[in-house]
């Protein structure tokens, strides 16, 4: 059936998540063109029978006035914000004040990600299950609390998690097994300020244990719909060894999260957040990302993010048929009338990184294998750039995300790795065990 594609959309950001969002929007009904600001070497293509065209706009994701001016000048029907920084800086408030439709939470609603102490106090107030905690702005008081905890729990094993309150690019969380370790962590955050101003305040949490899972809900401020649960792999090496990264891969469905558990997450976590934020006068419109731990005592929230996960978005995008309609329903307040159209089956994402990531790494390495298509696979660019000679080269730590779909998870993984084996750049690193280990 022919469709009329009339709407222009703008995606803000330039990573793998934004490529995936742009791709899914281009494949949605009604979208005529997708702009990506600033985008990467993968976020531009010509229109096809199944997708609208996409092109890059050379504007930084934090240049709010220029982004608004672009949206106004080009009559953008919907702007979709990828990363958290523009949300924290109030891009949604600014677009709303100018009457421009935008998908994402306001600055006040973004506090759920921007301040861990805000999120913890909010959860406590609204009965949302989370680990016990205390919050401090004074180093000596926090240190005394850590030592006091050590006396209280002895002879039980000690376990606390010290978290910088503010945004720290996913690095501000230190899991500690001894009081000495915890004091060192506290010192680095509050005194040495290794995460800058994010460490003006700390949250100290009881350490809990269990498998982790991410559940993202889309909300229009009163209704929330949970997207399929996704599990990401944060550690850099196979067997979940090595440093934490932004994410080395992800997959869905997650074997230990059935539809009844997803429903419980909706009822015990997502809906109470949406209701509580509305009651405060700061309604939450956008994606609410809940990082959860499945403990022996039940599920617990580890964190909230106010945006799609990366690489979780690359795992969900190939499965959502009507992303544009869904995000529009959120902005228009009509989510109760929406049918989320999901492809049945599994999707997995393998992240290909530069050597050395998440530490220092080289850029500028030519990438081969990008000029062909792979069955059941979509390649999402993350850190790529177009060199002067037209060659696509590496440009960041996480370079590509290879997403494959299949009837089952093993089938999806086989499709991914068949493609990964054809893609090369110097000293490319990836994990072969995505979807095959516990967390
Ligand atoms: P967050 O950024 O708050 O999700 O924390 C990053 C990682 O730290 C999580 O994915 C967990 O692996 C770990 N973590 C955070 N909070 C706790 C906790 N209370 N107990 C145990 N591990 C935690
Ligand atoms: N993959 C975790 C995140 O996006 O925060």
């Amino acid at each position: 059936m022919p469709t009329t594609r009339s709407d222009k959309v703008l995606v803000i950001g330039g990573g793998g998540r934004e490529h995936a969002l742009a791709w899914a929007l281009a494949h949605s009904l009604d979208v005529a063109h997708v702009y990506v600001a600033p985008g990467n070497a993968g976020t531009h293509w010509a229109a096809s029978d199944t997708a609208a065209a996409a092109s890059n706009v050379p504007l930084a994701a934090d240049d709010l006035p220029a982004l608004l001016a672009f949206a106004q000048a080009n009559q953008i029907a919907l702007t979709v914000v990828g990363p958290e920084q523009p949300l924290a800086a109030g891009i949604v408030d600014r677009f709303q004040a100018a009457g421009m439709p935008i998908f994402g939470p306001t600055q006040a609603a973004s506090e759920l990600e921007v301040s861990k102490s805000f999120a913890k106090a909010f959860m406590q107030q609204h009965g949302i299950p989370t680990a016990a905690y205390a919050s401090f702005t004074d180093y000596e008081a926090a240190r005394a609390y850590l030592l006091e905890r050590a006396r209280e729990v002895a002879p039980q094993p000690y376990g606390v998690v010290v978290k910088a309150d503010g945004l720290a690019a996913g690095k501000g969380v230190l899991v500690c097994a001894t009081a000495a370790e915890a004091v060192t962590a506290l010192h680095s955050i509050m005194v040495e300020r290794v995460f800058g101003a994010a460490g003006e305040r700390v949250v100290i949490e009881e350490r809990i244990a269990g498998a982790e899972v991410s559940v993202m809900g889309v909300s229009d401020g009163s209704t929330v719909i949970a997207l399929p649960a996704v599990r990401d792999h944060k550690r850099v090496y196979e067997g979940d060894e090595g440093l934490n990264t932004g994410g080395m891969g992800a997959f869905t469905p997650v074997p230990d999260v059935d539809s009844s558990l997803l429903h419980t997450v909706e009822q015990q976590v997502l809906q109470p957040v949406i209701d509580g934020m509305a009651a405060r006068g700061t309604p939450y419109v956008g994606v609410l990302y809940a990082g959860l731990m499945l403990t022996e005592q039940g599920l617990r929230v580890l964190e909230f993010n106010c945006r799609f996960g990366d690489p979780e978005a690359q795992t969900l995008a190939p499965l959502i048929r009507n992303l544009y309609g869904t995000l529009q329903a959120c902005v228009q307040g009509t989510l109760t009338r929406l049918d989320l159209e999901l492809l049945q089956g599994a999707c997995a994402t393998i992240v290909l990184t530069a050597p050395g990531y998440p530490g220092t790494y080289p850029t500028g390495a030519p990438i081969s294998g990008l000029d062909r298509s792979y069955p059941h696979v979509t390649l999402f660019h993350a850190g790529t750039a177009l060199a002067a000679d037209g060659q696509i080269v590496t440009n960041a730590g996480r370079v590509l995300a290879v997403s494959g779909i299949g009837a089952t998870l093993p089938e999806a993984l086989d499709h991914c790795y068949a493609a990964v084996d054809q893609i090369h750049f110097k000293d490319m690193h990836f994990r072969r065990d995505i979807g095959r280990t516990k967390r």
Side-chain angles (χ1 to χ4, degrees):
M1 198 169 58
T3 59
T4 43
R5 294 183 167 274
S6 58
D7 290 4
K8 292 185 278 184
V9 301
L10 169 64
V11 174
I12 294 178
R17 166 182 49 209
E18 288 75 25
H19 187 170
L21 293 173
W23 181 91
L25 289 166
H27 283 81
S28 297
L29 288 182
D30 297 333
V31 174
H33 194 96
V34 182
Y35 294 98
V36 190
N40 58 41
T43 51
H44 53 93
W45 55 80
S48 67
D49 289 346
T50 52
S55 56
N56 289 335
V57 181
L59 295 175
D62 60 1
D63 191 349
L64 309 194
L67 291 166
L68 176 58
F70 177 86
Q72 287 174 316
N74 292 279
Q75 292 161 332
I76 297 297
L78 183 68
T79 296
V80 179
V81 187
E84 63 273 23
Q85 292 86 358
L87 295 167
I91 191 168
V92 170
D93 310 64
R94 201 181 262 262
F95 271 59
Q96 282 176 351
M100 294 302 292
I102 184 163
F103 176 82
T106 59
Q107 189 170 40
S110 313
E111 277 294 284
L112 280 172
E113 172 168 359
V114 172
S115 167
K116 290 188 188 291
S117 57
F118 173 85
K120 294 297 281 190
F122 178 89
M123 284 190 268
Q124 202 165 52
Q125 187 189 350
H126 295 280
I128 297 164
T130 190
Y133 83 106
S135 164
F136 298 91
T137 50
D138 179 63
Y139 171 73
E140 286 305 332
R143 183 170 173 276
Y145 173 84
L146 287 174
L147 299 175
E148 176 61 26
R149 285 286 303 154
R151 274 191 291 279
E152 272 170 24
V153 297
Q156 301 293 324
Y158 188 81
V160 297
V161 184
V162 183
K163 302 185 175 186
D165 187 63
L167 293 181
K171 295 187 185 129
V173 172
L174 302 168
V175 180
C176 307
T178 65
E181 245 181 64
V183 170
T184 305
L186 183 71
H187 195 269
S188 71
I189 293 175
M190 291 196 95
V191 180
E192 295 157 47
R193 290 288 169 94
V194 294
F195 307 115
E200 275 168 19
R201 184 187 282 271
V202 289
V203 164
I204 298 175
E205 277 182 30
E206 153 205 30
R207 181 176 176 181
I208 54 177
E212 291 181 42
V213 63
S214 310
V215 176
M216 279 160 275
V218 287
S219 180
D220 63 2
S222 57
T223 300
V224 61
I225 300 178
L227 303 176
V230 183
R231 177 159 289 153
D232 76 338
H233 294 263
K234 292 202 169 76
R235 302 298 196 96
V236 67
Y237 298 127
E238 283 164 20
D240 292 318
E241 304 278 344
L243 292 175
N244 259 326
T245 69
M248 295 297 296
F251 62 95
T252 188
V254 181
D256 44 349
V257 182
D258 59 12
S259 59
S260 116
L261 182 55
L262 196 63
H263 189 61
T264 306
V265 173
E266 244 174 13
Q267 286 191 318
Q268 293 187 2
V269 178
L270 301 178
Q271 192 66 56
V273 172
I274 299 306
D275 293 346
M277 292 301 277
R280 290 179 78 245
T282 54
Y284 192 101
V285 176
V287 185
L288 175 65
Y289 170 129
L292 304 168
M293 194 170 255
L294 310 176
T295 76
E296 280 177 4
Q297 288 76 39
L299 67 91
R300 299 282 183 273
V301 176
L302 293 176
E303 64 161 348
F304 290 120
N305 293 321
C306 59
R307 48 163 177 85
F308 283 102
D310 184 338
E312 288 89 337
Q314 293 90 308
T315 304
L316 288 177
L319 300 178
I320 304 176
R321 291 207 184 252
N322 57 340
L323 185 68
Y324 183 56
T326 302
L327 303 190
Q328 262 197 324
C330 291
V331 171
Q332 293 168 358
T334 55
L335 206 52
T336 44
R337 300 209 293 273
L338 181 97
D339 265 330
L340 183 66
E341 291 171 37
L342 291 175
L343 208 67
Q344 291 306 303
C347 185
T349 302
I350 317 300
V351 173
L352 311 182
T353 77
Y357 171 81
T360 53
Y361 48 79
T363 58
I367 310 170
S368 65
L370 299 178
D371 45 1
R372 43 177 288 205
S373 63
Y374 300 96
H376 313 289
V377 162
T378 311
L379 296 183
F380 295 122
H381 289 225
T384 64
L386 201 56
D389 61 359
Q391 169 72 47
I392 296 179
V393 298
T394 64
N395 192 39
R398 290 193 290 178
V399 176
L400 289 161
V402 179
S403 288
I405 55 173
T408 61
L409 183 58
E411 209 179 289
L413 287 163
D414 285 347
H415 292 147
C416 289
Y417 284 113
V420 167
D421 287 338
Q422 303 299 316
I423 299 171
H424 297 284
F425 54 86
K426 190 169 185 303
D427 299 328
M428 171 175 113
H429 170 68
F430 63 96
R431 283 179 56 166
R432 281 229 175 250
D433 64 347
I434 301 303
R436 294 175 179 141
T437 63
K438 185 100 180 85
R439 41 167 289 184

